[in-house]
């Protein structure tokens, strides 16, 4: 089942920047399957990218906290050069240039700080665990949003197709009612009733079109795309039975 109008076959692929774990987030031209939509959303959704970046930053913070166990070494140096007349050790007046310099190395190593470093490392690890849990929660929410958005488009498009079919049927019924009235078989009441049914069908179709556009926009935003970008969805049929679980 194919849903909606889509990216033209010859269209170029969209290549957003790579995600925090180094993959290339590429939306290829053609139909978009549900697994591909989930993978693309996890790669480009702003909330997901932000949660992953925060988790990686907190992992780096753990490394920074652990660095307190290691010594630090710093080096400083200076050099100066002067020229002019000066008196040497023998009392002679000499005109020349003179260069002096010095170098210093500083080694600092905290051997005991009453548990301060251990506490900071433990705090950084707990924050990292919290960031990881947050990232997992955001991923789950993103996947749920893709499921709702993807099949929301499928349902909205099917509803639009049904509304269009109903509109066409009521238009034919209205035409038949008018023909029967002109032939003296039908009544004005029949025409009015058919006209009302047709008008209601037109309204339903217009509402279905608005719902379809809204559903596509919601899905595009979840995928990290512009809301008005056209997509062709390759919708899998909804299973008729729930798979049996062993538990």
């Amino acid at each position: 089942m194919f849903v909606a109008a889509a990216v033209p076959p010859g269209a170029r692929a969209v290549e957003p920047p790579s995600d925090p774990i180094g993959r290339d987030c590429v939306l290829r031209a053609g139909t978009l399957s549900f697994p591909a939509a989930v993978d693309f959303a996890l790669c480009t959704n702003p909330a997901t990218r932000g949660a992953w970046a925060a988790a990686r930053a907190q992992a780096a913070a753990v490394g920074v906290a652990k660095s307190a166990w290691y010594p630090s070494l710093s080096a400083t140096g200076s050099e100066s050069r002067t020229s002019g007349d000066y008196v040497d050790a023998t009392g002679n007046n000499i005109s020349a240039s003179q260069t002096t310099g010095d170098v210093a190395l500083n080694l600092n190593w905290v051997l005991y700080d009453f548990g301060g470093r251990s506490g900071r490392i433990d705090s950084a690890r707990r924050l990292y665990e919290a960031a990881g849990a947050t990232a997992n929660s955001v991923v789950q929410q993103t996947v749920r949003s893709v499921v709702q958005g993807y099949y929301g488009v499928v349902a909205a498009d099917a509803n639009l197709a049904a509304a269009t079919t109903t509109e066409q049927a009521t238009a034919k019924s209205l035409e038949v009612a008018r023909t029967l009235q002109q032939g003296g078989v039908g009544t004005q009441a029949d025409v009015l009733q058919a006209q009302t049914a047709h008008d209601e069908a037109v309204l339903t179709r217009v509402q279905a079109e608005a719902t379809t556009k809204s559903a596509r926009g919601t899905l595009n935003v979840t995928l990290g795309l512009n809301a008005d970008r056209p997509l062709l969805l390759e919708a899998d049929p909804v299973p008729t039975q729930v798979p049996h679980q062993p538990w």
Side-chain angles (χ1 to χ4, degrees), residues 153 211-223 225-229:
V153 173
T211 301
T212 300
K213 291 180 180 179
S214 177
R216 293 176 187 170
T218 300
L219 175 61
N220 283 9
V221 171
T222 303
L223 296 178
L225 301 172
N226 293 332
D228 58 349
R229 178 179 176 82

Side-chain angles (χ1 to χ4, degrees), residues 18-246:
S18 59
D19 68 1
I21 62 176
R23 299 182 305 161
D24 290 331
C25 306
V26 178
L27 179 62
R28 304 189 181 280
T31 58
L32 179 65
S33 64
F34 174 69
V38 172
D39 184 70
F40 187 77
L42 293 177
C43 192
T44 60
N45 185 275
T48 305
R49 291 172 64 87
W52 281 347
R56 289 172 63 85
Q58 195 56 50
V62 175
V64 172
K66 288 182 177 181
S67 67
W69 289 107
Y70 305 106
S72 62
L73 179 65
S74 61
T76 60
S78 65
E79 183 181 51
S80 62
R81 183 179 180 85
T82 60
S83 61
D85 296 335
Y86 68 96
V87 179
D88 64 5
T90 61
N92 296 322
N93 190 12
I94 300 175
S95 177
S97 60
Q98 183 179 14
T99 302
T100 59
D102 66 273
V103 177
L105 293 177
N106 297 317
L107 176 64
N108 295 317
W109 195 352
V110 178
L111 299 180
Y112 189 72
D113 63 350
F114 302 94
R117 288 173 294 185
S118 299
R120 288 189 292 271
I121 293 173
D122 186 66
S123 175
R125 285 175 174 169
R126 296 296 178 268
L127 291 175
Y128 171 60
E129 293 173 358
T134 300
N136 289 335
S137 175
V138 171
V139 167
Q140 294 174 8
Q141 293 174 6
T142 301
V143 172
R144 183 189 63 182
S145 297
V146 174
V147 172
Q148 294 175 341
Y150 193 97
Y151 288 103
V153 173
V154 173
D157 196 72
N159 186 47
L160 176 59
T164 302
T165 302
T166 302
E167 180 185 2
Q168 295 173 351
T170 56
K172 292 181 179 179
S173 298
L174 177 59
E175 182 180 356
V176 170
R178 287 173 176 171
T179 301
L180 293 176
Q181 182 193 25
Q182 293 174 359
V185 179
T187 64
Q188 182 65 25
D190 295 334
V191 175
L192 294 176
Q193 184 177 3
Q195 181 68 55
T196 301
H198 178 64
D199 292 342
E200 291 177 350
V202 171
L203 175 61
T204 301
R205 190 261 305 163
V206 172
Q207 292 174 338
E209 288 179 347
T211 301
T212 300
K213 291 180 180 179
S214 177
R216 293 176 187 170
T218 300
L219 175 61
N220 283 9
V221 171
T222 303
L223 296 178
L225 301 172
N226 293 332
D228 58 349
R229 178 179 176 82
L231 290 175
L232 176 63
L233 305 187
E234 188 180 75
D236 297 328
V238 179
T240 57
Q241 295 181 352
V242 178
H244 174 71
Q245 301 297 340

